């Protein structure tokens, strides 16, 4: 199942553009609904590459919907913003604008319009990345004291750790913060609920991915919004994808090493080796596009039970 690369969503003639992010465009459908369109753009080190990964947007969208449906059924009281994968009627059919809708099928979600909380809810099950660096230097992760003696990539002995971050404007790096700071930003009531839901989602997903696909979810980022009508905290945005998570293959996982990831690490490593880290307008060579796409597709197939390559998108 391989398609053309969609770098720019061009629906402005049919729906008002609300925002354009590094990967997604957001359009207003009506007063209560927005359309999230995931392009095939890819970013690393807060910079968008000039070319993209074929079908990446569809893969991220379908994997997000898979998780949203799974989590909402499994976790009591969890609400998600998902309404439908169907395109809104404002996007004209093929007999009016040939091929337009085909470009956006399965890469677009109609979701509830909610007020996003200004934090990102990061949950870490294993000590790696910036958490490992902080632990080596200070014995803490986001200001949280961690037991001594851990090795790189080891599971946190007390279970997953909630380590929120600020939600910066595009092009500005998010800052890891202590949960107490998150409480100052969003308020005690909402901070507690966000932490509760983020940990519950991570624990369920980590167990599911390991048992079904042999994938370790080392860490992941969730986002939540507020439904002001009901005063509920709602799970929003992309969920448990290779863009928002660090996936490891359980078969090759070793404590004390950095396992290969099913995410953008292949691209990050290439950018770093070429001296291109954080530089704008970088064009990826074919090898990087192919290898990165392969990582994304393998993660999708392992988690969902579908087969992206053959086009068998029957999800277990």
């Amino acid at each position: 199942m391989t398609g053309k690369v969609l770098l720019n969503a061009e629906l402005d003639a049919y729906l008002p553009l609300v925002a354009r992010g590094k990967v997604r465009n957001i359009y207003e459908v009506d007063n209560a609904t927005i359309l999230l369109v995931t392009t095939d753009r890819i970013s690393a080190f807060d910079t968008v590459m000039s070319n993209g990964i074929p079908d990446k947007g569809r893969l991220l969208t379908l994997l997000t919907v898979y998780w949203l449906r799974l989590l909402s059924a499994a976790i009591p009281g969890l609400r998600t913003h998902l309404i439908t994968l169907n395109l809104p009627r404002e996007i004209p059919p093929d007999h009016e604008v040939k091929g337009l809708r085909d470009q956006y099928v399965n890469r677009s979600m109609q979701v509830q319009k909610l007020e996003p909380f200004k934090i990102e809810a990061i949950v870490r099950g294993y000590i790696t990345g910036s958490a490992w660096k902080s632990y080596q230097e200070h014995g803490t992760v986001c200001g949280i004291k961690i037991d001594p003696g851990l090795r790189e990539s080891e599971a946190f002995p007390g279970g997953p750790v909630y380590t929120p971050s600020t939600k910066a404007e595009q092009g500005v790096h998010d800052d890891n913060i202590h949960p107490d700071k998150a409480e100052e930003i969003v308020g005690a009531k909402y901070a507690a609920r966000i932490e509760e839901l983020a940990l519950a989602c991570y624990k369920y997903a980590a167990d599911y991915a390991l048992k079904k696909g042999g994938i370790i979810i080392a860490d992941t980022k969730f986002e939540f919004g507020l439904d002001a009508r009901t005063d509920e905290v709602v799970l929003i945005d992309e969920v448990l994808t290779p863009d928002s998570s660090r996936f490891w293959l359980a078969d090759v996982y070793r404590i004390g090493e950095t396992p290969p990831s099913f995410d953008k690490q292949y691209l990050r490593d290439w950018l770093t080796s070429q001296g291109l880290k954080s530089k704008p307008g970088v064009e990826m060579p074919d090898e990087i596009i192919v290898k990165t796409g392969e990582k994304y597709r393998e993660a999708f197939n392992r988690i969902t039970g579908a087969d992206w390559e053959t086009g068998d998108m029957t999800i277990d």
Side-chain angles (χ1 to χ4, degrees):
M1 182 177 176
T2 303
K4 296 179 180 178
V5 175
L6 182 73
L7 290 179
N8 297 299
E10 298 176 350
L11 297 175
D12 304 42
Y14 313 106
L15 295 168
L17 179 66
V18 175
R20 185 182 189 274
K22 285 181 286 190
V23 173
R24 288 170 183 78
N25 284 23
I26 303 174
Y27 296 91
E28 183 179 79
V29 178
D30 56 42
N31 290 336
T33 310
I34 57 176
L35 183 71
L36 296 184
V37 180
T38 306
T39 69
D40 297 325
R41 299 191 295 264
I42 188 168
S43 68
F45 302 117
D46 295 313
T47 304
V48 181
M49 305 298 106
S50 64
N51 49 351
I53 307 294
D55 276 336
K56 173 177 172 282
R58 287 193 167 96
L59 186 149
L60 294 183
T61 299
L62 290 173
L63 186 55
T64 288
V65 169
Y66 181 81
W67 281 118
L68 289 174
R69 290 171 175 167
L70 201 63
L71 293 171
S72 61
I75 298 173
L78 176 68
R79 267 188 58 197
T80 80
H81 68 162
L82 178 65
I83 298 173
T84 181
L85 268 172
N86 294 334
L87 294 171
R89 63 178 181 273
E90 286 82 0
I91 300 176
D94 279 355
H95 69 267
E96 293 183 17
V97 183
K98 186 173 178 57
L100 178 65
R101 293 180 73 92
D102 286 347
Q103 295 181 66
Y104 298 97
V105 169
N106 287 338
R107 68 166 72 247
S108 308
M109 299 187 295
Q110 290 192 67
V111 300
Q112 289 178 285
K113 184 191 294 185
L114 303 169
E115 183 62 35
F117 288 102
K118 296 188 182 301
I119 60 170
E120 295 186 337
I122 298 169
V123 181
R124 304 176 190 271
Y126 297 75
I127 190 160
T128 188
S130 62
W132 172 241
K133 182 179 179 181
S134 174
Y135 177 72
Q136 288 180 294
E137 293 175 353
H138 310 292
T140 62
V141 176
C142 293
I144 302 167
K145 187 68 177 175
I146 304 297
D147 291 346
L150 295 188
R151 291 179 289 167
E152 184 180 8
S153 304
E154 190 169 354
F156 287 101
V161 178
Y162 174 66
T163 61
S165 75
T166 59
K167 193 172 180 180
E169 297 297 323
Q170 186 173 336
V172 180
H173 192 66
D174 300 327
D175 292 323
N176 294 327
I177 56 176
H178 190 278
D180 289 348
K181 181 63 177 178
E183 184 175 309
E184 292 178 18
I185 295 171
V186 303
K189 179 178 74 170
Y190 298 129
R193 182 60 171 158
I194 290 170
E195 179 174 353
E196 176 189 14
L197 290 174
L199 285 167
C201 288
Y202 173 84
K203 289 174 183 177
Y204 179 86
D207 182 65
Y208 183 93
L210 183 60
K211 288 178 178 176
K212 181 166 185 177
I215 286 179
I216 293 171
I217 303 177
D219 51 46
T220 194
K221 175 197 75 175
F222 298 106
E223 296 195 39
F224 293 89
L226 177 65
D227 187 335
R229 298 173 301 110
T230 61
D231 199 34
E232 288 179 280
V233 175
V234 181
L235 181 60
I236 65 171
D237 204 63
E238 72 174 312
V239 175
L240 294 157
T241 72
D243 270 15
S244 66
S245 313
R246 198 185 314 254
F247 294 156
W248 294 337
L249 192 60
D251 288 349
V252 298
Y253 165 71
R254 300 288 185 273
I255 295 175
E257 302 176 3
T258 303
S261 299
F262 288 100
D263 57 21
K264 295 183 284 189
Q265 197 58 48
Y266 195 87
L267 171 60
R268 294 190 191 102
D269 290 345
W270 176 77
L271 290 169
T272 301
S273 70
Q274 300 299 310
L276 298 172
K277 182 177 177 179
S278 300
K279 292 191 176 180
V282 173
E283 182 171 334
M284 299 177 289
D286 290 344
E287 179 189 359
I288 300 301
I289 292 172
V290 170
K291 292 290 187 182
T292 302
E294 287 174 353
K295 293 287 187 183
Y296 277 64
R297 291 190 294 275
E298 184 175 356
F300 180 92
N301 291 345
R302 283 176 171 271
I303 290 169
T304 65
D307 190 336
W308 192 275
E309 298 297 342
T310 63
D312 177 8
M313 301 307 293
T314 304
I315 293 177
D316 295 348

